Amino acid sequence: MNIVTIVGSIRKESYNMQLAKTIQERYNTIMNMEFADIRSLPHFDQDEENNPPESVRKFKESIANADGVIIITPEYNWSIPGVLKNAIDWASRVDKVFVGKPVMAAGVSIGMAGTLRAQLNLREILTGIQANLLPPSGNEVLINFAPQKFDDQAGRLTDEMTLAFLDTVMDKFGEFVRSSKNAQLQGSYMG
Ligand SMILES: Cc1cc2nc3c(=O)[nH]c(=O)nc-3n(C[C@H](O)[C@H](O)[C@H](O)COP(=O)(O)O)c2cc1C
């Protein structure tokens, strides 16, 4: 299973990136995970969408070729960061690479809310671009109070209860991606 992960924070010590790396290592037997580079994407420009720069082309291609996408986002001002929205805007145009793509959302905050508002916003955006979202019930990865749950030295999530919950969600996401793929194969076979 090939998964592409988009992290909505581009800062070096990002907790959201630490979560992404934890996921990459912890579930490496069930999936091969790569990171999408959103740092190098230029601002979305509709004049360029039919002939986008190489960084955009590569970014879109990585999503198009993936079996599923994980979006891990901080909350900025009750919403998702501009860099993430910019990346989604590029991906939403011309060859609309998110249409039907299985997507899971997750996020980490320092404070109490665990990115709840950002993820609600993200779900609206992804619904608008017809992504195939892992249903939220039982699958909302909202990690709050990050400094208590991550090991800064190791740069990984270490809170046992959170990891146990993550195991259940990743299990369901794996199944969700596999069944979406089977449904697609069946659809193409049926013609
Ligand atoms: C511009 C900006 C806006 C923020 N707005 C919120 C917010 O609305 N809600 C929240 O819980 N945290 C907010 N934060 C704090 C982030 O949760 C915190 O910086 C977090 O560590 C960012 O994720 P990262 O560690 O992956 O970079 C904001 C931070 C920044 C820089």
Side-chain angles (χ1 to χ4, degrees):
M1 189 161 74
N2 289 317
I3 300 295
V4 164
T5 292
I6 305 172
V7 180
S9 169
I10 56 173
R11 78 180 183 100
K12 288 189 201 72
E13 309 289 324
S14 162
Y15 284 113
N16 285 277
M17 179 52 94
Q18 291 184 33
L19 173 63
K21 289 186 173 158
T22 304
I23 290 175
Q24 186 185 41
E25 287 167 6
R26 191 171 174 90
Y27 309 107
N28 66 4
T29 54
I30 56 166
M31 63 184 203
N32 170 39
M33 185 173 125
E34 284 178 13
F35 291 98
D37 173 20
I38 63 169
R39 176 189 275 276
S40 59
L41 299 178
H43 290 156
F44 175 75
D45 179 351
Q46 199 178 348
D47 289 337
E48 303 290 327
E49 67 180 16
N50 286 311
N51 191 19
E54 187 59 18
S55 58
V56 174
R57 229 188 291 270
K58 272 191 177 159
F59 170 67
K60 292 178 79 172
E61 202 177 82
S62 70
I63 294 173
N65 292 336
D67 298 319
V69 176
I70 301 176
I71 301 181
I72 304 183
T73 186
E75 180 168 294
Y76 278 7
N77 302 317
W78 291 27
S79 183
I80 62 168
V83 282
L84 175 58
K85 180 64 164 52
N86 186 56
I88 294 173
D89 287 344
W90 276 117
S92 72
R93 300 286 294 177
V94 192
D95 46 340
K96 302 172 178 180
V97 290
F98 269 110
V99 174
K101 188 67 64 181
V103 180
M104 174 190 149
V108 187
S109 75
I110 286 175
M112 174 101 162
T115 73
L116 176 62
R117 291 163 298 218
Q119 286 197 48
L120 288 173
N121 177 227
L122 178 63
R123 283 179 187 282
E124 274 181 359
I125 294 166
L126 292 171
T127 302
I129 61 172
Q130 297 172 51
N132 185 15
L133 269 167
L134 180 69
S137 179
N139 298 319
E140 286 176 297
V141 182
L142 304 160
I143 303 179
N144 60 6
F145 303 131
Q148 296 167 31
K149 296 176 180 168
F150 286 76
D151 177 341
D152 277 341
Q153 294 299 315
R156 298 292 183 273
L157 173 68
T158 47
D159 182 72
E160 285 301 330
M161 267 177 66
T162 310
L163 285 167
F165 173 67
L166 195 59
D167 288 348
T168 67
V169 180
M170 289 309 298
D171 212 35
K172 284 184 275 177
F173 184 56
E175 190 48 47
F176 185 70
V177 171
R178 276 189 293 276
S179 58
S180 306
K181 208 170 171 178
N182 287 343
Q184 265 169 14
L185 284 175
Q186 230 164 17
S188 59
Y189 178 70
M190 306 278 281

